[in-house]
Amino acid sequence: MTGRELEWSRGDRAKAAAKLMVGWVALLWLLEVVDVASGHALDSLGITPRTPSELIDVVPAAFIHFGFAHVAANSVPLLVMGFLAALGGLRRFAAVCALIIVADGLGVWLIAPAHTNTAGASGLIFGLFGYLLVTGFVERRPLGVLVGLLMAAIWGTSILVGLAPTQTGISWQGHLLGLVAGVTAAFVFKHRQP
């Protein structure tokens, strides 16, 4: 493979990652428009803890938001972190996201306070943050380490604030569980060296 072919494949990978994440974020906005138009009928897809029938909402809850401000707050970090994570390959990215969403959702179902309704992409965002933060170290790739440090510099403070149990109206449990799931995904889906 020539250098030009390799460069083209990287460009194709970046285009695919960008299209995927723009589509993902657009879907979140579309779902919120539908939610508002339906009198917030989709809000019921959030996770109510320890209710067996709510287990089916573990995955949909990651796509539902409680208002436009909520989806707006999640859009930029999801777009950026998702794009960076998807550069490692779309199949790997799908597996990482699936692990984070399911582990985070199940954890929220188990430990969130009773009579709460948890939804939103922030658990996934915290997971992608954790994944990007450690994957370069796990795989011993200098560029990955640099990306992790850059993510820590840009979003580290926000992540720490989001983990504080003193904040009302946010699921610090979902944030913490997402972060742990993302770090775990970096080890589970580690690129094997030839």
Side-chain angles (χ1 to χ4, degrees):
M1 184 176 277
T2 67
R4 187 175 181 135
E5 289 170 331
L6 184 60
E7 183 179 313
W8 175 250
S9 66
R10 286 182 185 156
D12 286 346
R13 187 179 297 177
K15 285 178 191 173
K19 286 178 184 177
L20 173 66
M21 292 318 300
V22 167
W24 192 319
V25 171
L27 173 64
L28 298 184
W29 280 90
L30 176 63
L31 287 170
E32 189 54 34
V33 168
V34 170
D35 186 44
V36 169
S38 67
H40 300 285
L42 297 182
D43 289 353
S44 66
L45 296 174
I47 301 167
T48 302
R50 294 167 300 284
T51 304
S53 62
E54 290 290 304
L55 284 170
I56 63 169
D57 292 335
V58 162
V59 173
F63 296 86
I64 303 303
H65 290 80
F66 301 129
F68 289 112
H70 188 200
V71 73
N74 284 337
S75 292
V76 172
L78 179 61
L79 190 64
V80 173
M81 292 183 208
F83 171 76
L84 291 171
L87 288 175
L90 296 185
R91 279 186 288 180
R92 181 182 185 197
F93 176 71
V96 166
C97 289
L99 186 150
I100 293 168
I101 289 170
V102 171
D104 182 55
L106 289 173
V108 165
W109 186 85
L110 282 171
I111 70 168
H115 312 295
T116 58
N117 185 14
T118 303
S122 58
L124 176 60
I125 291 165
F126 276 68
L128 290 173
F129 175 84
Y131 174 78
L132 290 168
L133 188 67
V134 302
T135 196
F137 292 99
V138 169
E139 296 178 357
R140 297 183 179 163
R141 289 183 299 115
L143 183 58
V145 171
L146 183 62
V147 167
L149 294 174
L150 185 61
M151 291 296 99
I154 294 171
W155 275 293
T157 303
S158 297
I159 295 295
L160 288 175
V161 169
L163 294 172
T166 55
Q167 295 220 15
T168 56
I170 65 159
S171 174
W172 66 267
Q173 298 93 344
H175 294 172
L176 178 61
L177 292 163
L179 183 66
V180 170
V183 170
T184 302
F187 288 92
V188 171
F189 300 108
K190 175 182 171 183
H191 271 309
R192 305 288 177 225
Q193 296 300 326

